[in-house]
Structure formats: C-alpha cells, structure tokens
Amino acid sequence: MGIVTRNARYSERAAGFLQRPHRLLIDGDWVDSLDGDQLSVTDPATGQTVARVAAAGPRDIDRAAKAAHRAVEEGPWRTMSARDRSRLLNRLAELLREHGDEFAELESIDAGKPLAAAASFDVEFSLRHLEYYAGWPTKIAGMTLPVAVPDMAVRTERVPVGVAGQIIPWNFPLLMAAWKLSPALAAGCTVVLKPSELTPLSALRLGELICEAGFPPGVVNIVPGTGALAGEALVSHPLVRKIAFTGSTAVGTSIAASAAQTMKRVTLELGGKSALLVFDDADLDVSVATAMSAAFANAGQNCSAGSRIYVQQGILAEFVKEFAARADAFQLGHGLDAGTTMGPLISARQLERVTGYIRGAEQAGATLATGGTHPPAGVDPEGFFVRPTIVTDVPQDATIVQEEVFGPVVVVLPFQDEQEAVHKANDSAYGLAAGVMTRDVGRAHRVTSQMHAGSVYVNTYGFSDAAAPYGGFKQSGVGRELGAENLDAYLETRTVWTSLA
Ligand code: NAD
C-alpha cells in the first residue's frame, strides 16, 4: 500500500514530519535497522498508511542495550550531578511545551485522538510527569544506620539499577513514553524504550527533543518494533537490568516469566475491568457524567476504564436511559475535525475484537441500550470506528462482564445493597481501579476500604497524577508507577560498612 502523507486535515508541519525518514535512535544517532525491516503506521480514522518507520530487530536491540550500558557505566551520565540531571529533564519539558501543538496533532493522526483531548490530556500530562520527576534527582538520598556493631559507620546509597528496558502500548503513546522515561532518568538509569509498533511517531519525535535537550548519547535509545522481535529481545537481553511494561496481561505474564531467567527487576501495568458503583443516594447527573468519562474516555481504550457500572436497582432504569442519551451525543470522526468528541479504535484488529465482544454479548441474550456492531454514520468507512455501546441484562459471569474489551463498550448491571455491590465489584480477575458514587460518607469509607483495586475514587473517577502511585492488584500488575514509589523501581540500595577501629 502507498503512503498518504497529505490529507487536507494535516498541517504542513505534520505532513513534513510524516514524509521524513524515521530511523532508530541508538547511541545518540539516528540509524537504520540492521535487518532493513519497516513498520507501516496507519491513521486509524482513515485506514491509510501515513508513514514508514524502521523496525528494530534483535541485533538493533543488542546495539541499543550495549549503548545504554556504556552510558550508565562509563559515560558523562554516570558522573553527572543530580542537579544537572534535573536540569536536563526540565529542559526536555520546556521543549515539549514549545512543541505541544505538534505533538497533539501527531497523537491525533497516529492514535486517533480528538485534538483537544490530545492537547489537554496526553501532552499536558506528559509535561507534568517530566516536571514532577525533574524535581527528584536532588532529593534521592541514602541513610546513616544506627547498627549495634561498635566502631562501625554504616550508610546506604541509592544507586541506579542500570539499563531499563521500557515497553509501552498504543493507547497513550506520548504519555506512556514520558511516564516511563521520567522516573528512570531521574534515578540515573539509562533507557531502551520500545514504543508500540502501531504508534511509534510521537516517541520518535520526542527522541529528537531528547537529543536537542542535550542528554548524552546512549542515555535514551528509542527502538520501535514488534513485540515478537524487538520486545522479546529486550526482555531477554543480559545487559538490561529492569523491565517496565505496560500492556496486556497475557504479554505481561510471558514477560515476567522471561525476565525471571536473568533476575531482572520488573514492573507490570496490565489490563483491567474496573467497576463504578452508583448508589441511589448519589447525584444522578454527576453519576452519569462520571460514568461517561469512565467508560468512554479515549474511546474506552483505557486500562482503568470503568467498564462495569453497577447501579442500585431503584435508579437503574433512569440511569440507563440518561446514560444512553448522552452516549448517543458523541460525535465520532477524525480527531483533527472540529467537533469530534470520539475517535476511532487503533486498528482493524481491535475493531474486529471489540465488535466480536458486542456480537457475543448479543448472542448470549444481552440487551443493547445503545450502540452495536453497525458502523457509525458519517465517518470514513475505512476508519476503525465503533459506536459507544451500553450492554445490559447479562449475568455476572458473562464474558462481556469478565473480560477486558478495550473499546467504548460498557456493561450496566443492578445491585440491591452495599454488600452485593462490593462483592460484584471485586468479582474480577483484575484490580486496577474502582469508583463509588454516594452522598453517604460512612458508606464511601466502608466501600473504598473493601475494594481490591490500586486506585479507588469517591464521587469521581479516573484521575491520575505524577505524584500519586498508580498500578494494579491481582492480574492488573506488579509494582507501582508514578509518585515517589516509582523511583524505587529504578534504584538499588547499597549498604556501605566502614570500620572506625
Ligand atoms: P500488548 O500487550 O499487545 O502490547 C504492549 C506492548 O508490548 C507493545 O509495545 C508490544 O509490541 C509489546 N509486546 C507484545 N508482545 C510482546 C512480547 N512477547 N514481549 C515483549 N513485548 C511484547 O498490549 P496493547 O494491545 O498494545 O495494549 C492494550 C493493553 O494494554 C490492554 O490490555 C490494556 O489494559 C493494557 N494497558 C494497561 C495499562 C496500565 O497502566 N495498566 C495502560 C495502558 C494499557
């Protein structure tokens, strides 16, 4: 298929970027893949190929891991002061801010996001992560320990783990890159970052800014490629000391097993099937608005999406009616078209998967309050669009209630009382997030204290912040990202004993 870099919607700047050769960033240089492989990048709202990008293979990952290893062992990065690391992170944040509009447009073209959402969420939160962690290098410190052994000075040092391999998904390409890079660099690690094969563009552009900011060669290497070739090579590489992964639980499980062979440190941010509980004393209008963003933000391609909504029986009918009316008001379209409030799914494969779940629910006897498998009207028929869909009348053990769909598909089910609500919310293999809508403070405390979830929201849903730890219970992952806790994942503790005798 040919490449279409010009589309009346794309700015000259974006078209110019798409046309450029896209290579791998290894050891401070932009290089071709040793095997000459390429990835095709698709605009998911049109189905057209908009760029080709060098695809890293195992030999490229080897080059990148060695460059990152040299940079952490021998280069200027190793001896750089904490203050200078902090300044580099701040400089990168400044550059990203200067080019924020460009990044929002790239995310819109590459990942199908409405432009305003890409600017106000993806770019803005990427900046916040860089700025937050830019403050940390000068605060990472060891301790002096009051040991019982006489004539001994004992202290701890906090030292970088070494080379971090970072593997990120396609749903928030820039944000995930910033979210992963910031703590690793703050801790003094070096990085081999593998963006998703579906959405490599913003990470590559960020790589240009990383070079411009003045990070020494090899500190950040950016190597788009497939999971099977580049991803697996990164996870098994002996010089990589830590893997940070965001993606599906299936891939996370195989990564944990593979990384164990070389005892790599691992943090995993995986899937979810999060519940929002709406009690009958809650403000209905606020509850429906909260459910809208919980279920449909980023077209539901959101690991912490509130994709199971449990509503107290007495208000269920009214809730579903209002929720469906608001869901119908989404304007689907290209993210760069004015008025678009929901973009497409990421790929033809994801479209097939999501419509397959809807079809399966219908065949199992579910009622659709709105949405369905018919393509939406008024959008490019080659784009990967699916209408916001609300599923009701299904049993708790139905596939659509238990499995992650990762699209704008939400299940709304009833509960009778607090005990049943808590039981149903926790009845999931996952445990990423949960929410409770109620005016009763006592109930809010009782319910939140019983949720098996890494983030719990009361009368709101879905916030994240660089300062607030984020991650999952159960099969939603291992470890925490963001906040001070995430630094621990990139640091080792060295205990130093000095005899004073
Ligand atoms: P995915 O697991 O297929 O891919 C994620 C990344 O892993 C991609 O870069 C991919 O190339 C790579 N990969 C695939 N197979 C690999 C392998 N064998 N070894 C190493 N790397 C491999 O997931 P996806 O389809 O890109 O993203 C959607 C999934 O990610 C959803 O399940 C979602 O819940 C999850 N997710 C979780 C979070 C979170 O914070 N918990 C955030 C975003 C997405």
Side-chain angles (χ1 to χ4, degrees):
M1 209 202 306
I3 310 185
V4 181
T5 54
R6 294 206 172 269
N7 174 317
R9 300 178 176 95
Y10 301 172
S11 70
E12 280 298 315
R13 182 183 55 200
F17 177 77
L18 295 173
Q19 280 159 14
R20 277 160 42 187
H22 300 290
R23 301 195 174 96
L24 312 172
L25 178 59
I26 297 178
D27 209 8
D29 280 332
W30 292 95
V31 298
D32 286 319
S33 150
L34 287 174
D35 296 323
D37 289 345
Q38 289 202 312
L39 303 166
S40 293
V41 179
T42 303
D43 177 338
T46 65
Q48 288 175 325
T49 303
V50 294
R52 289 208 210 286
V53 168
R59 292 194 295 153
D60 301 305
I61 296 297
D62 183 53
R63 288 196 286 175
K66 284 178 175 153
H69 187 248
R70 275 194 305 277
V72 83
E73 291 286 323
E74 303 160 16
W77 184 248
R78 194 180 74 80
T79 49
M80 185 179 284
S81 70
R83 176 168 178 247
D84 283 346
R85 276 210 315 279
S86 175
R87 285 158 71 137
L88 278 176
L89 279 163
N90 274 321
R91 177 72 189 127
L92 180 59
E94 277 166 25
L95 287 170
L96 180 57
R97 190 180 299 285
E98 276 169 32
H99 295 274
D101 293 348
E102 184 186 348
F103 276 89
E105 186 179 0
L106 276 184
E107 289 299 75
S108 192
I109 294 170
D110 200 358
K113 291 167 189 283
L115 187 64
S120 64
F121 184 73
D122 298 74
V123 175
E124 174 60 27
F125 279 75
S126 300
L127 282 168
R128 292 185 193 184
H129 290 307
L130 286 166
E131 288 169 353
Y132 172 80
Y133 283 106
W136 267 109
T138 50
K139 283 108 196 153
I140 296 170
M143 286 192 293
T144 305
L145 303 175
V147 295
V149 187
D151 295 328
M152 199 68 80
V154 184
R155 63 188 166 84
T156 57
E157 296 174 346
R158 303 283 278 148
V159 293
V161 165
V163 178
Q166 305 187 321
I167 301 176
I168 57 175
W170 43 260
N171 56 344
F172 296 100
L174 174 69
L175 179 62
M176 285 293 121
W179 169 310
K180 292 266 188 288
L181 287 170
S182 310
L185 297 173
C189 290
T190 56
V191 175
V192 179
L193 174 77
K194 193 203 82 60
S196 165
E197 55 271 48
L198 298 175
T199 53
L201 296 181
S202 55
L204 291 173
R205 184 72 184 100
L206 188 67
E208 294 177 349
L209 299 190
I210 286 167
C211 296
E212 191 179 334
F215 283 87
V219 171
V220 179
N221 304 272
I222 301 183
V223 286
T226 64
L229 288 177
E232 287 191 14
L234 189 55
V235 174
S236 60
H237 200 286
L239 291 178
V240 174
R241 295 307 325 143
K242 187 217 153 41
I243 293 290
F245 170 77
T246 295
S248 59
T249 294
V251 172
T253 307
S254 80
I255 285 179
S258 168
Q261 303 303 313
T262 43
M263 209 51 81
K264 291 180 172 58
R265 281 75 184 116
V266 176
T267 41
L268 303 170
E269 297 290 346
L270 308 176
K273 189 75 184 179
S274 300
L276 177 67
L277 305 176
V278 182
F279 285 88
D280 61 9
D281 66 340
D283 182 302
L284 188 73
D285 196 50
V286 173
S287 298
V288 173
T290 303
M292 285 287 290
S293 69
F296 298 130
N298 208 41
Q301 302 169 115
N302 181 356
C303 50
S304 58
S307 53
R308 294 183 294 142
I309 298 183
Y310 295 100
V311 182
Q312 201 154 16
Q313 184 72 58
I315 58 165
L316 179 68
E318 197 185 353
F319 180 93
V320 170
K321 187 165 162 249
E322 184 60 25
F323 192 26
R326 292 210 211 168
D328 285 343
F330 271 111
Q331 188 169 327
L332 273 66
H334 196 292
L336 296 178
D337 290 347
T340 294
T341 51
M342 184 182 286
L345 299 181
I346 193 65
S347 64
R349 189 166 149 245
Q350 194 66 9
L351 178 63
E352 183 53 41
R353 186 181 129 92
V354 171
T355 50
Y357 272 112
I358 300 172
R359 211 174 294 119
E362 282 185 297
Q363 283 162 1
T367 304
L368 300 189
T370 189
T373 53
H374 293 298
V379 295
D380 189 327
E382 300 301 318
F384 312 129
F385 292 94
V386 65
R387 290 180 296 156
T389 298
I390 299 173
V391 179
T392 61
D393 299 327
V394 279
Q396 174 69 13
D397 62 357
T399 304
I400 196 84
V401 183
Q402 293 295 331
E403 292 189 11
E404 182 179 50
V405 175
F406 225 59
V409 179
V410 58
V411 185
V412 183
L413 294 175
F415 68 85
Q416 301 295 338
D417 56 24
E418 206 174 295
Q419 197 185 359
E420 187 188 356
V422 168
H423 171 75
K424 284 185 163 171
N426 286 336
D427 178 24
S428 168
Y430 296 109
L432 197 52
V436 51
M437 307 296 298
T438 180
R439 286 186 167 114
D440 180 335
V441 178
R443 169 180 283 152
H445 279 271
R446 280 192 304 276
V447 172
T448 53
S449 70
Q450 295 175 80
M451 288 293 103
H452 301 163
S455 297
V456 186
Y457 303 95
V458 179
N459 292 328
T460 184
Y461 190 87
F463 278 92
S464 74
D465 187 278
Y470 180 89
F473 284 25
K474 300 191 275 185
Q475 290 188 34
S476 288
V478 174
R480 290 292 177 273
E481 297 203 308
L482 308 186
E485 278 188 49
N486 200 183
L487 287 168
D488 293 338
Y490 291 96
L491 292 167
E492 295 280 17
T493 298
R494 182 160 53 211
T495 309
V496 182
W497 295 71
T498 306
S499 168
L500 305 179

